[in-house]
Amino acid sequence: MSVTKSEIRSGAYYDSVVLMQLQRNLLQLPGVEDAGVVMATPANLELLAESQLLQAEGKAAKPEDLLIVVKAASGAKAQDALAQVDELLKRRSGAATSSFRPRSLAGAVKALPDADWVSISVPGRYAAGVAREALEFGKHVFLYSDNVSVEDEIGLKQQAQQNGLLLMGPDCGTAIINGIGLGFANHVRQGSIGLVAASGTGLQSVTSAIHNLGGGVSQAIGTGGRDLKEAIGAASTLQGLAYLAADPDTRVIVIISKPPDAAVAGKLLAAALGAGKPVVVCFLGFAAPAVRLNNLHFASGLEHAARIAVDLSQQPARDSGSPSKAKPISGYLRGLFSGGTLASELFLGLNLFLSPLFSNVAIRSEQKVNDAHKSQAHTILDLGEDEFTVGRLHPMMDNDLRIRRLKQEAADPEVGLILLDVVLGEGAHPNPAAELAPAIAAARKARKELEFVALLVGTDEDPQDIQKQEEALAKAGATVYRDITQTLEHVVGRLLGAAEVQKSPAPFAQPLAVINIGVEGFYDSQSAQGAQTIHVEWRPPASGDEDLMALLSKMRT
């Protein structure tokens, strides 16, 4: 009959790779049927219980304890396996390099003074403290560890920025700095495409595709999956974008993220507009507003992003298409459309840039305007919806409703730009500009700062004479386009503008030298890639005792 025995080693710490190898070695011993070697966190205890390996004695283990469980054919076999644990751990230690290994970050800094990066992969509850210490030593941080609180992430990123340092993570799975991969990274050709990503596997996928398509990577910066959440505010992404904008070896920038929070997306895209280089944007889950807006190129997916970036990197240097540096206007957008599909198209196109944005044609309930007769913040309205057309002609035939609403919006001092569509053709109003142009001119006379943009839809064979329509609207003070993309570019440029990117000196000036704390396999990888590196024989402070750790922390401060 099988027998399960457990052993608890209080305060003993080994990284997950060592634990995995010990578990595998135990499973190879005679008579051993199953084994579990874990730090005794609640999640790990739950996994052991699901595997029928958690006995009463194991339940007493604390999160900072090492728990070893062996299930064997007999009690003697299980006990014999546990008795060999120390020897198995020594084999692992003996297999590792015999070079000097400091036991603290301070010791590693003295041993490798050229190191300007620290790679951290210790358990999450210790990670913020180690990262804080690394920043205090003036080191950039690659923070692989997860389970770091949002509050700690905010504090760490503020601390990094205040000291001109970059903190990638937490939960940052991959990065490539000066050709050396950190965490999980693929071997890719060096080149002129720089990437910043809040998606680890997304970054690996795009860098691999760039290599396979014949392109190369200058730098690949991970930020951690929460960076584009509103609470974090894209702190690391904006910093990475600024570094890549300043990097002379980077010609094309790629931004990759899972769906960002709306307010953060607009802030990031404004910075991308000011990068001075082509920027490929791949926001998964968002409809691309256009193929290209100014210097922004929108990708529908990861592979598409790689293809666009490689194509741009192989083209001769030319104007990136950055928008005018003119100061953007203040005030809200009000879009007054006669066509529902045009209203939806412009709403989706501006959705990435403007926040909050409301409409009576919004798909998401939180973006539905509360009362279509009263605009709120940025608002785009389809005036052809039923709520506006009961008992009256459609606005493509009758401009009365739209002119009344135009006057209402123009009288609102919070409004900075009014966007109209003017649709020509059979059945439409015979001369819409004759009625809209005087209303625009009157509004401009009352408020010179108020801007009008008209999207003119029609052909030179339409009965309204499209050229005369355009001239009349322009003479009244409207900026007229016949193309949706140009309309989007203009509206984005005037309302969002190109944010000034602080092109800080990049942390790529020196060959990568890194201090590794945590997963030893990362040290092996860094060393194999030719990086100067040193591994810290890290153990939890105070053997993981929370009370003693708190006391030590107070003594330090």
Side-chain angles (χ1 to χ4, degrees):
M1 180 179 178
S2 299
V3 174
T4 301
K5 288 186 176 292
S6 303
E7 181 176 320
I8 298 172
R9 297 193 173 193
S10 298
Y13 172 79
Y14 296 93
D15 73 45
S16 55
V17 175
V18 174
L19 300 183
M20 177 189 69
Q21 291 175 337
L22 175 58
Q23 180 172 306
R24 286 180 177 175
N25 289 334
L26 286 169
L27 285 168
Q28 293 173 2
L29 295 177
V32 173
E33 299 171 350
D34 201 356
V37 182
V38 297
M39 299 305 296
T41 63
N44 286 334
L45 294 182
E46 189 174 333
L47 289 173
L48 286 177
E50 291 175 357
S51 303
Q52 309 299 315
L53 287 174
L54 184 61
Q55 305 295 303
E57 53 189 321
K59 293 178 182 177
K62 299 176 181 177
E64 60 268 22
D65 295 339
L66 173 63
L67 175 59
I68 307 166
V69 185
V70 174
K71 180 181 178 182
S74 67
K77 294 287 185 184
Q79 197 59 51
D80 181 62
L82 289 174
Q84 296 186 56
V85 166
D86 285 331
E87 182 59 30
L88 294 174
L89 286 172
K90 285 180 183 176
R91 284 186 206 167
R92 164 65 191 173
S93 177
T97 178
S98 58
S99 59
F100 170 68
R101 292 189 165 187
R103 293 183 176 276
S104 67
L105 179 56
V109 170
K110 288 181 181 177
L112 187 59
D114 290 341
D116 48 6
W117 287 86
V118 177
S119 172
I120 300 169
S121 51
V122 302
R125 64 198 186 103
Y126 307 111
V130 178
R132 201 170 292 117
E133 186 182 5
L135 293 172
E136 289 169 357
F137 275 112
K139 309 298 182 186
H140 303 290
V141 172
F142 174 81
L143 185 51
Y144 170 86
S145 307
D146 55 10
N147 291 309
V148 175
S149 70
V150 171
E151 293 74 19
D152 277 333
E153 181 172 352
I154 294 171
L156 287 169
K157 290 187 172 179
Q158 288 176 344
Q159 182 181 352
Q161 290 184 342
Q162 288 166 2
N163 292 283
L165 300 168
L166 177 62
L167 184 138
M168 298 191 282
D171 198 16
C172 183
T174 182
I176 300 173
I177 302 298
N178 289 342
I180 304 294
L182 298 174
F184 307 119
N186 301 92
H187 288 256
V188 299
R189 186 183 304 107
Q190 285 192 271
S192 60
I193 301 172
L195 304 96
V196 56
S199 168
T201 52
L203 186 58
Q204 283 194 260
S205 176
V206 176
T207 53
S208 296
I210 287 171
H211 175 90
N212 293 332
L213 290 167
V217 172
S218 57
Q219 312 289 343
I221 297 171
T223 66
R226 288 191 305 229
D227 194 65
L228 268 63
K229 298 296 182 187
E230 190 167 357
I232 310 299
S236 295
T237 305
L238 288 167
Q239 210 174 347
L241 178 64
Y243 287 142
L244 294 175
D247 179 24
D249 295 327
T250 298
R251 286 188 57 201
V252 179
I253 300 171
V254 181
I255 299 174
I256 307 163
S257 173
K258 289 167 279 192
D261 283 354
V264 177
K267 183 179 178 182
L268 178 57
L269 291 175
L273 284 167
K277 300 178 179 181
V279 179
V280 181
V281 179
C282 182
F283 286 162
L284 301 174
F286 274 85
V291 175
R292 175 184 175 180
L293 289 179
N294 296 306
N295 62 321
L296 306 185
H297 301 254
F298 292 91
S300 59
L302 301 174
E303 179 76 16
H304 190 206
R307 289 187 179 280
I308 296 172
V310 171
D311 183 53
L312 289 169
S313 72
Q314 294 175 346
Q315 293 177 7
R318 61 186 183 187
D319 179 23
S320 65
S322 294
S324 165
K325 298 291 184 182
K327 183 181 178 182
I329 60 175
S330 60
Y332 290 120
L333 164 73
R334 299 291 156 78
L336 307 178
F337 284 79
S338 61
T341 303
L342 286 174
S344 296
E345 174 88 356
L346 271 294
F347 176 83
L348 292 172
L350 294 169
N351 188 38
L352 271 177
F353 296 91
L354 303 180
S355 179
L357 177 63
F358 299 96
S359 177
N360 61 341
V361 295
I363 298 173
R364 288 159 45 195
S365 59
E366 67 271 20
Q367 290 185 302
K368 282 280 187 183
V369 65
N370 293 328
D371 179 356
H373 297 281
K374 295 179 182 177
S375 300
Q376 54 189 114
H378 300 294
T379 298
I380 290 178
L381 294 173
D382 171 18
L383 297 176
E385 279 285 288
D386 291 349
E387 57 202 315
F388 291 110
T389 56
V390 177
R392 65 167 68 237
L393 286 172
H394 191 278
M396 280 182 62
M397 294 181 281
D398 181 1
N399 289 304
D400 179 69
L401 172 64
R402 186 145 61 157
I403 291 173
R404 290 176 185 272
R405 189 60 181 255
L406 184 153
K407 292 178 179 176
Q408 176 185 324
E409 302 294 356
D412 183 348
E414 292 190 335
V415 175
L417 191 152
I418 294 177
L419 172 63
L420 307 167
D421 64 341
V422 181
V423 184
L424 311 181
E426 292 293 340
H429 191 283
N431 187 5
E435 296 180 355
L436 291 171
I440 292 171
R444 292 267 300 162
K445 185 176 181 181
R447 287 183 59 201
K448 291 183 179 178
E449 77 281 8
L450 182 61
E451 296 193 8
F452 284 84
V453 176
L455 171 60
L456 188 59
V457 178
T459 74
D460 58 359
E461 297 186 7
D462 284 329
Q464 291 89 350
D465 191 335
I466 193 169
Q467 189 62 36
K468 286 187 176 178
Q469 295 292 316
E470 181 172 348
E471 290 171 0
L473 292 167
K475 187 176 180 181
T479 303
V480 186
Y481 293 102
R482 299 189 191 183
D483 179 278
I484 292 175
T485 299
Q486 289 180 335
T487 304
L488 277 172
E489 282 186 341
H490 182 92
V491 173
V492 168
R494 296 303 296 130
L495 286 172
L496 199 64
E500 187 69 26
V501 177
Q502 299 298 322
K503 298 180 178 178
S504 309
F508 319 131
Q510 305 296 329
L512 185 73
V514 58
I515 296 168
N516 187 71
I517 305 177
V519 176
E520 190 175 349
F522 290 160
Y523 162 77
D524 295 336
S525 170
Q526 294 151 15
S527 182
Q529 294 177 76
Q532 286 189 81
T533 183
I534 190 169
H535 182 69
V536 176
E537 286 289 348
W538 182 86
R539 294 289 182 271
S543 297
D545 184 291
E546 298 283 357
D547 294 335
L548 189 52
M549 284 170 59
L551 180 60
L552 290 174
S553 179
K554 285 184 179 178
M555 290 174 67
R556 283 184 58 203
T557 57

